[in-house]
Amino acid sequence: MLNIYYLERIEPAAVRKGLSTQSVWCKLWKDIMKSKPSRLVTVMCWRKKFLEAFFHNVLRGILDVSADRRLHDRRFSPLDHSARHVSELTICNKQQEVTELTPALLQSLAQSVEALKFLHLRSSDSDTQKCLRLLLHHLIHHGHVNKVSVLSWPCPDNQLLDLILTMSAGYWQPDTDSPCSSCLLADSPPISGERSGGPGALLSLQPLNISQNVPASSTSCGGPGGGHSSEPNDLYDFIFSVSAVGDSTPETSCVEGVTSVGASPLSGAMLFRSVRALNLHNIPLTLPSCRSLCRLLRSWTSLERLTMAYNDLGANIALVLEALSALSRSPGCCLSVFSLSDITTYVPMLELVHTLLRNLPNLQLLSLSYDLESHSEWESPGAGAAQCADNGLQQLELRFPHDPVLVEHLVPVLKASSSLVELSLDNATFSDQDDLRRVLRVIADCNVLLRRLGFHDMKMSDAPSEILHLLGLSRLEEIKFSFCRLFETSSADFVAEFVAAVRRNPSVRILTLNGNRLGNDGLCALAELYSPDSLSGIIYLDVSSNCIKPDGLLRFTKKLEGCGKLTLRQLDISQNLLDRDPVLAREALQALEGVCRVVRDNWDSSQAFTDHVGVM
């Protein structure tokens, strides 16, 4: 009976009385949005989820609020009403929606939005870009946005991309025709070149590359606390000019970290707070746009997380590496997470790992993912390339190209990364199985702090002893063997030894064994993990894509029923052969659902892969 205006009004009272309105908001979502959230996503607050989607749909004109009496009321504006619930704002296509954002809406969004996403962008007119500049200025410089993502832009407009990157890095060219009221204080206008902004902006300020003669107090905002000790003409005393690597033409030289749309210096630019996370996904970077990004990266000291995926960097990777190296030498550099993915790597992958670890000693997470290597023109540094300095990496994720892994380059990385808590190796192939065994032994002996260990798309059936040794690591909480052909040629003895090793390890909580040709007998053997004398505490078990038939699942279920109280909370049995006998499968599933949460699907086994045939 209530519209969203009244639902919002009763929320505080409902909370005080211990009542929940979640079911009402959930029904609104299903009725209005007519979609279901992914089964992989847990909705923590239906009220927020609905109102955030409601804001975007009204803003884009794809939801008619007059069509449902629950969505409108003469006492509120739909956008004003829902703006305070928007934590992630998405701008699409030609950014037409930004022209609808009034100053009052921008002020409201500046208090709530923490992530800004640009999706499928297209070129826009100058008036729209002016509105976009104000949006970026309010939400980043004066607001709480800490993450900017630019996604799926196959043919980027360099001018628009430069605008987004420059504003995200904290730079703002004041518009004298329509000055920003948040920038101006009644008795003390901001000084060009200073870190300015409202109270929110002061929380994330980072020091500039300034000369020792410039007092630190010059970084304070006009008006709050200590006074100013620099004049406007002192700007170039502490922001100095540099040229792009390998290019000294006037079009590409600029003030360090300050670029305009045309990559020329931003004379009189003001520096505000900048985002801490930048994600560029499926954005091909041309040489000019890559140079613009790198000029910003060199002094983007507040940046903590940088994700670059499918940017077609090619040889431009050298510019990115040089910029990140310069950034790491800057006082106050915060970069601790770097993720890089692409189809082809111009630099041999493990040499790229060595270079990044050498130039970014403070990295805590490094993720590299490639499909192919193409580096015929690459000049290897020589014998010294295999040396790797000790580092503080806590998480390392490597998806290798199809070429065989050079073990003499991988082993030093593993030995030097003694602080690793999480390690993931994907698509690694070896010229000799002895190389795989060597790598597994190094992981077990040198990475003793590991809690999460994952292997994907690797042939590991020829290293049974080393696998059993890994399973005994006392700190491991999560183990993943995904499509590793683990039980391809193994005997019943290895399956029993595998289960016995896991039974003895009380620290493991998550075990993923999808795509390993487990079969009915292997699944039934896993039931021993939950026998009364087992030390295993596995709460999540993934046996998807393992050629399991209904009779095998029923046998597994019967064995579990005899184990008493179970620690198992979730079992994934999707993409198995359960459609071979639907009646038997239904019986097994009904019994399982009384034991744990079951993740399953309606997979058609007639479409099974050829390599499943051997164990059917």
Side-chain angles (χ1 to χ4, degrees), residues 15 48 92 135 152 165 173 199 222-223 244 253 347 360 366 378 416 428 447 461 464 531 550 568:
V15 171
K48 182 185 184 307
C92 302
L135 171 76
S152 301
L165 293 175
Q173 182 70 57
S253 62
V347 181
L360 299 171
L366 175 61
W378 174 260
N447 304 116
S461 57
S531 62
L568 181 62

Side-chain angles (χ1 to χ4, degrees), residues 25-228:
W25 292 106
C26 180
K27 186 178 188 310
L28 271 173
W29 173 274
K30 293 177 180 177
D31 292 347
I32 306 301
M33 305 305 171
K34 302 186 185 303
S35 64
K36 294 182 179 180
S38 169
R39 63 181 177 87
L40 301 177
V41 176
T42 301
V43 178
M44 303 303 294
C45 180
W46 280 103
R47 173 180 171 228
K48 182 185 184 307
K49 182 176 179 64
F50 175 82
L51 289 172
E52 190 166 31
F54 177 73
F55 177 88
H56 283 96
N57 289 339
V58 173
L59 184 64
R60 294 170 192 155
I62 59 179
L63 181 62
D64 181 10
V65 295
S66 63
D68 193 312
R69 62 176 180 77
R70 294 173 293 179
L71 304 182
H72 61 90
D73 192 290
R74 59 183 176 79
R75 283 160 290 195
F76 75 88
S77 158
L79 290 177
D80 290 337
H81 182 73
S82 55
R84 61 193 178 93
H85 294 277
V86 180
S87 59
E88 180 177 276
L89 179 65
T90 301
I91 306 297
C92 302
N93 302 320
K94 290 190 175 183
Q95 315 104 58
Q96 297 97 326
E97 59 263 43
V98 301
T99 60
E100 303 297 322
L101 297 175
T102 63
L105 273 175
L106 288 177
Q107 291 289 346
S108 180
L109 290 171
Q111 300 304 312
S112 63
V113 177
E114 298 176 353
L116 191 57
K117 180 188 294 184
F118 294 94
L119 185 64
H120 306 304
L121 285 188
R122 297 166 61 189
S123 300
S124 56
D125 57 45
S126 58
D127 289 338
T128 301
Q129 287 199 21
K130 185 176 181 179
C131 293
L132 180 61
R133 289 180 75 248
L134 286 173
L135 171 76
L136 291 164
H137 180 55
H138 276 85
L139 270 57
I140 297 175
H141 301 164
H142 293 300
H144 296 85
V145 168
N146 281 314
K147 179 178 181 180
V148 169
S149 298
V150 189
L151 314 173
S152 301
W153 198 3
C155 299
D157 179 329
N158 286 342
Q159 184 181 32
L160 184 54
L161 178 60
D162 281 351
L163 170 63
I164 294 171
L165 293 175
T166 302
M167 299 288 282
S168 299
Y171 294 99
W172 165 250
Q173 182 70 57
D175 188 343
T176 54
D177 295 331
S178 54
C180 171
S181 58
S182 298
C183 292
L184 302 175
L185 297 177
D187 57 347
S188 182
I191 294 178
S192 177
E194 293 182 329
R195 289 189 178 271
S196 307
L202 294 175
L203 298 177
S204 298
L205 299 186
Q206 299 292 339
L208 287 169
N209 290 328
I210 60 177
S211 70
Q212 295 181 355
N213 296 325
V214 180
S217 60
S218 65
T219 62
S220 61
C221 180
H228 300 290

Side-chain angles (χ1 to χ4, degrees), residues 242-253 291:
V242 295
S243 297
V245 177
D247 192 348
S248 59
T249 58
E251 290 79 8
T252 57
S253 62
R291 283 173 173 159

Side-chain angles (χ1 to χ4, degrees), residues 298-347:
R298 291 175 63 88
S299 59
W300 199 334
T301 53
S302 68
L303 191 64
E304 298 173 4
R305 306 175 65 92
L306 176 60
T307 302
M308 300 180 68
Y310 302 99
N311 304 122
D312 196 21
L313 285 176
N316 291 339
I317 182 88
L319 295 178
V320 175
L321 293 176
E322 190 279 332
L324 293 178
S325 178
L327 173 62
S328 71
R329 296 191 296 269
S330 297
C333 172
C334 296
L335 188 66
S336 61
V337 175
F338 182 50
S339 177
L340 186 63
S341 307
D342 220 324
I343 299 295
T344 305
T345 172
Y346 180 80
V347 181

Side-chain angles (χ1 to χ4, degrees), residues 448-565:
V448 295
L449 299 180
L450 278 176
R451 294 182 182 272
R452 294 175 292 278
L453 177 61
F455 303 96
H456 176 73
D457 198 14
M458 295 169 57
K459 185 178 184 299
M460 303 187 69
S461 57
D462 295 329
S465 298
E466 288 73 18
I467 289 172
L468 294 176
H469 184 43
L470 279 175
L471 294 174
L473 296 181
S474 60
R475 287 180 177 265
L476 278 179
E477 297 176 356
E478 179 177 348
I479 304 175
K480 177 180 179 181
F481 295 99
S482 175
F483 292 93
C484 289
R485 302 158 70 177
L486 203 58
F487 307 108
E488 179 180 55
T489 58
S490 60
S491 63
D493 290 340
F494 175 68
V495 176
E497 291 172 343
F498 183 94
V499 173
V502 180
R503 276 167 49 97
R504 292 190 297 267
N505 193 332
S507 66
V508 179
R509 293 290 182 268
I510 299 174
L511 179 61
T512 302
L513 295 173
N514 60 313
N516 282 287
R517 304 184 181 183
L518 194 60
N520 285 357
D521 292 339
L523 176 65
C524 291
L526 288 178
E528 294 297 323
L529 296 175
Y530 301 99
S531 62
D533 60 340
S534 173
L535 298 178
S536 173
I538 291 176
I539 60 175
Y540 176 88
L541 179 63
D542 184 346
V543 292
S544 59
S545 303
N546 265 299
C547 310
I548 298 168
K549 298 178 183 177
D551 58 329
L553 184 62
L554 185 59
R555 285 165 49 202
F556 173 74
T557 304
K558 297 296 185 184
K559 292 189 71 172
L560 286 184
E561 289 176 345
C563 293
K565 187 176 181 180

